[in-house]
Amino acid sequence: MLTAIREKATGWIAWILVGIITLTFALWGIQSYFEGPDRAAVAVVNGTEIENTTYQNALTERRRALVNRFGRNFSSDYFATDAFKQQVLDALIDDILLQSEQIERGYRIGDDQLRTLIRTATEFQGENGFDAERYQALLRSEGFTVTQYEAEQRLRLAIAQMQRGFLDTVFVRDDDVDAIAALLQQRRDAEYVVLAADRFTDEAEISAEQIQQHYDQNPEQFRAPDQMRVEYLQMSVEQIAQRIEPTEEELQAHYNQNQDEFNEPDRRRASHILIAVAADASEDVEFAALRRANDIADQAKDGSDFAELANTHSDDSGSAANGGDLGFIEPGMMVAPFESAVFAMDLDEIRGPVRSKFGFHIIKLTELKVGAKRSFESVRDAIVERERRQQAELQFAEHAETFTNLAYEHSHTLDVAAEELGLEVQKSDWFSRDEGDGIAAAEGVRRAAFSESVRVDQFNSDTVQVDADTVVAVRQLDFKESEIRPFDEVRDGIEATLLAKQAAIRAEEAGTELVAELNSGGDWEALIGELELIAEPLPAERNAATDPEQRQILAEVFRVPAPNGGPVVAGMRLASGGHAIYRLTAVTAGDVANMDDDVKQRVRTELERRYGFDQYLSYRRDLRDRAEIEIREGQL
């Protein structure tokens, strides 16, 4: 289709195309051609349009935020999904609705509030505090003018102000706090046995007729999807780096310019006692924790054994058993307030309380190792790799546009781009739209391979950004239409599936019979003994199980009513196909009367947060329900 246009747009066909284009400009104006999709609205909210440019900018900003948060390992395939696009569009719609509400209800952000927000933002700080030049440069790099950025921040602050109105006005009754605290601290005594499915595999019998019948009745289960093989050209920073050999002068210069990075840092060994308190705790809770921390610090400074104090009082269970020992600490390992204190202390000094987001720390410096300068020879191999990487990243950026242009301009071959850039055309294995190995493991590659221009028109694909360091272009090599796989090819799999299902059914039947006997007065120990089963205790606390099977059983145990006059005995199907039988003998509520105030306060804070957020979400849903919203799917 597109091939025909490219190759035959000459002679009288070309004149017809020119005539159509001329007529279009005459009727709608040339400006409609240039404005085109960028000016088109992707949605209209109460008469306010969300232009494509606004939407595309929001997509870019959200992509950047996710990559910055999760690093290079974040899958870029997610960015092409409908869920990602809808999430970004929903946020823009909410912004318009909330902005209208903010204006109508009179929320205002003063200049002083805005100035404080900007001047204290970490990203705008220089050596001497707020750096105006850095501020403006960062905004330019993100595509903002100062006016645009400050307007957006005013909106964000106003919306946050509205949200705080819900969060700060929630009322939580003491009875609710006590009930939830008691429930969260509840303990349940139970034990269980498992009738594994494979115990009944030998009893299962599957005939050839059943296997054939299953195949005949469920043909779509065995349909092989469309499959394709491609040849592809891949350019990556790693490939380029392998061809680079830095000179000795470059290596020495790199060492001289980055000597601080090659010095072994000071290492300090410290012990601590943590008095835990939430970052957003009330003043009363924080004051009580501080008073307790001061008392323990005074004991430590007066000569009491620090390890014993840590073992008795520290809320950091991981280190308390070791006398509070945290091992050796290097810069960047700990939260800032704690680390600053440790690296300012003298050997055997005790300091604190030091406040961090975890609570109050009493710290003792127990050992000190001064860092040493590492020689050029000892770090030369590392510098070679770093220099290769840096030079490769520069070359990758320079060659990426050439790669794209050559793959497009010579759309019937990848050989030209390969020769120009010193790359090798490679071939993939078979893959489908939904899964593949090697280069086809990337969703973007599969999507490009099955696009109309590659699948139908036999062109090279557009360049695919597999990750931050790799680009790929593909062209079709071979294609297989979807088909039902032959019976002989899937027979063994069908048999295994039917055997597993029958064994699971037998396990459930046997488990149901056992539960019925136990609930009819049968003796637990005797009956499970006859089946050669050994009961295992379940953890008593709701979230204490680590084994996946135990977690599944424990979740069910915490759902059933408490025993009333006798144990609760029941069964359940397991994800493994087996059947579990459990016996719940006792339920102990959390002791609210003797519960620490900070535990109750954490429950209250969490309830307030949840209730407030639920109200805020209801408010936003109500705004949507009352709004007139038109989403233009074709523009997304």
Side-chain angles (χ1 to χ4, degrees), residues 327-384:
F328 281 103
I329 297 168
E330 295 181 6
M333 289 178 60
M334 311 296 283
V335 291
F338 186 95
E339 189 173 285
S340 296
V342 168
F343 280 88
M345 293 170 64
D346 296 325
L347 190 61
D348 294 326
E349 179 183 350
I350 295 173
R351 182 175 294 195
V354 173
R355 181 68 159 102
S356 79
K357 63 181 180 181
F358 302 109
F360 293 102
H361 307 262
I362 300 96
I363 308 169
K364 181 177 181 179
L365 186 65
T366 58
E367 195 172 342
L368 172 62
K369 289 186 177 180
V370 179
K373 181 178 179 181
R374 300 171 68 183
S375 67
F376 172 76
E377 289 74 18
S378 67
V379 296
R380 185 183 183 283
D381 290 345
I383 294 175
V384 168

Side-chain angles (χ1 to χ4, degrees), residues 52 117 148 163 179 195 268 278 303 313 337 461 472 516 540 620 626:
N52 189 274
L117 171 74
Q148 288 172 330
Q163 186 174 355
L195 287 166
R268 294 180 170 231
H313 298 288
S461 72
V472 172
R620 277 175 34 181
R626 292 187 284 112

Side-chain angles (χ1 to χ4, degrees), residues 75-89:
S75 173
S76 58
D77 294 341
Y78 174 63
F79 299 145
T81 63
D82 292 339
F84 173 71
K85 296 173 183 177
Q86 189 63 50
Q87 183 185 66
V88 172
L89 181 59

Side-chain angles (χ1 to χ4, degrees), residues 177-178 181 185 276 285 292 313 315 591-603:
V177 173
D178 289 348
Q185 300 288 321
V285 171
R292 182 181 168 205
H313 298 288
D315 292 327
D591 185 1
V592 177
N594 295 313
M595 199 172 289
D596 289 344
D597 289 342
D598 59 341
V599 173
K600 287 188 179 181
Q601 184 57 44
R602 284 199 293 272
V603 171

Side-chain angles (χ1 to χ4, degrees), residues 536-547:
E536 292 189 37
L538 281 166
E541 296 173 358
R542 184 184 305 269
N543 298 315
T546 55
D547 176 75

Side-chain angles (χ1 to χ4, degrees), residues 340-581:
S340 296
V342 168
F343 280 88
M345 293 170 64
D346 296 325
L347 190 61
D348 294 326
E349 179 183 350
I350 295 173
R351 182 175 294 195
V354 173
R355 181 68 159 102
S356 79
K357 63 181 180 181
F358 302 109
F360 293 102
H361 307 262
I362 300 96
I363 308 169
K364 181 177 181 179
L365 186 65
T366 58
E367 195 172 342
L368 172 62
K369 289 186 177 180
V370 179
K373 181 178 179 181
R374 300 171 68 183
S375 67
F376 172 76
E377 289 74 18
S378 67
V379 296
R380 185 183 183 283
D381 290 345
I383 294 175
V384 168
E385 293 307 312
R386 289 175 58 168
E387 190 64 27
R388 280 177 174 163
R389 174 80 191 185
Q390 289 179 9
Q391 292 186 30
E393 286 177 346
L394 290 174
Q395 291 187 28
F396 179 81
E398 293 170 0
H399 295 333
E401 185 175 357
T402 303
F403 182 97
T404 300
N405 291 340
L406 290 172
Y408 176 78
E409 292 167 1
H410 303 275
S411 58
H412 290 88
T413 179
L414 294 172
D415 294 339
V416 176
E419 184 175 352
E420 180 76 20
L421 297 169
L423 303 173
E424 178 185 354
V425 177
Q426 302 177 67
K427 296 179 181 179
S428 75
D429 290 329
W430 290 101
F431 61 90
S432 68
R433 283 182 175 86
D434 297 323
E435 61 181 346
D437 296 320
I439 196 66
E443 182 183 346
V445 171
R446 299 195 303 273
R447 188 168 55 249
F450 281 93
S451 67
E452 184 177 350
S453 62
V454 175
R455 169 72 187 92
V456 178
D457 301 324
Q458 305 288 307
F459 290 153
N460 296 338
S461 72
D462 292 334
T463 302
V464 178
Q465 185 95 26
V466 175
D467 56 41
D469 297 336
T470 308
V471 292
V472 172
V474 305
R475 62 177 293 98
Q476 181 177 301
L477 194 61
D478 203 354
F479 184 81
K480 286 195 297 191
E481 295 280 355
S482 170
E483 61 181 5
I484 305 297
R485 296 167 66 189
F487 174 73
D488 289 342
E489 188 178 312
V490 297
R491 185 193 183 286
D492 291 346
I494 295 174
E495 182 177 20
T497 298
L498 295 179
L499 283 170
K501 284 183 178 179
Q502 197 172 106
I505 290 170
R506 286 292 301 117
E508 185 169 5
E509 290 172 349
T512 302
E513 291 174 9
L514 177 57
V515 169
E517 288 186 69
L518 290 167
N519 283 325
S520 297
D523 181 74
W524 170 266
E525 298 292 344
L527 287 174
I528 66 172
E530 288 177 11
L531 295 172
E532 298 180 347
L533 299 173
I534 299 175
E536 292 189 37
L538 281 166
E541 296 173 358
R542 184 184 305 269
N543 298 315
T546 55
D547 176 75
E549 194 166 78
Q550 279 195 349
R551 281 203 300 268
Q552 187 182 356
I553 300 169
L554 194 61
E556 186 65 25
V557 166
F558 268 86
R559 273 194 287 266
V560 299
N564 184 15
V568 174
V569 178
M572 60 181 293
R573 183 184 300 173
L574 297 173
S576 63
H579 201 77
I581 299 92

Side-chain angles (χ1 to χ4, degrees), residues 213-233:
Q213 184 180 41
H214 185 84
Y215 178 80
D216 294 339
Q217 292 178 350
N218 303 278
E220 290 303 316
Q221 287 185 8
F222 310 107
R223 177 175 291 281
D226 291 343
Q227 289 192 303
M228 183 183 291
R229 286 197 311 136
V230 296
E231 57 180 9
Y232 65 93
L233 203 60

